[in-house]
Amino acid sequence: MDELMIVANVAIIFGVMYKLFELYAKRKERIMLIEKLPPELLDKEKVKCPNSSSPSGFFSALRMGCLFLGIGLGLIAGYCIVYNTQPAYFSNYDHHVNETVSLIYGASVLIGGGIGLIVAFLVELKLNKKNEE
């Protein structure tokens, strides 16, 4: 088993390094292609970006804030569920109860984070409609 872990770690490190080098090489290639484009294709007045009227930093902060808020609320909801349904978790150690508790926490965090991102999307959509009017 240890030999397999060594091979897996080396493969993961090699894969990450390869992807980083590939990312930088493709970035330079894209920059060279953009520099070769004719200037009339790069006219910013003709090209309309989807979120050009609103700063993208605001929406990324909104997304992250809603995501973390959802994760926090998911943790609180998970604790309440565990407290009410698994009293054996707080009194003694049982492997099956521990697995159930970890499942409850994981599911509630993922559900809370997903709901937070959906709320961020709806707020962003509403703000975009308000800016277009």
Side-chain angles (χ1 to χ4, degrees):
M1 190 69 171
D2 290 334
E3 294 86 15
L4 185 62
M5 291 302 294
I6 292 171
V7 171
N9 287 336
V10 169
I12 289 170
I13 291 171
F14 176 75
V16 168
M17 297 288 286
Y18 176 77
K19 284 297 182 180
L20 281 174
F21 285 125
E22 183 183 27
L23 178 71
Y24 289 121
K26 284 188 177 185
R27 181 175 178 260
K28 288 180 183 177
E29 184 179 337
R30 286 189 206 116
I31 289 173
M32 287 174 30
L33 286 172
I34 290 172
E35 288 173 353
K36 290 182 182 178
L37 286 175
E40 55 268 0
L41 288 178
L42 295 175
D43 190 13
K44 292 183 180 180
E45 294 173 0
K46 293 180 183 177
V47 179
K48 184 173 184 329
C49 296
N51 288 329
S52 61
S53 62
S54 60
S56 62
F58 173 74
F59 288 132
S60 63
L62 175 70
R63 287 183 201 123
M64 286 295 114
C66 287
L67 175 66
F68 291 141
L69 179 69
I71 287 173
L73 290 176
L75 282 172
I76 291 172
Y79 178 77
C80 292
I81 292 170
V82 168
Y83 187 77
N84 290 324
T85 61
Q86 303 292 328
Y89 179 70
F90 298 103
S91 62
N92 59 0
Y93 180 78
D94 186 14
H95 184 66
H96 296 293
V97 172
N98 203 14
E99 286 182 3
T100 305
V101 167
S102 65
L103 179 71
I104 291 171
Y105 274 121
S108 61
V109 164
L110 290 174
I111 289 171
I115 290 172
L117 287 176
I118 289 171
V119 167
F121 173 75
L122 293 175
V123 169
E124 183 178 342
L125 196 64
K126 185 177 178 182
L127 289 175
N128 278 340
K129 281 185 182 178
K130 186 183 264 186
N131 286 340
E132 287 177 1
E133 291 177 355

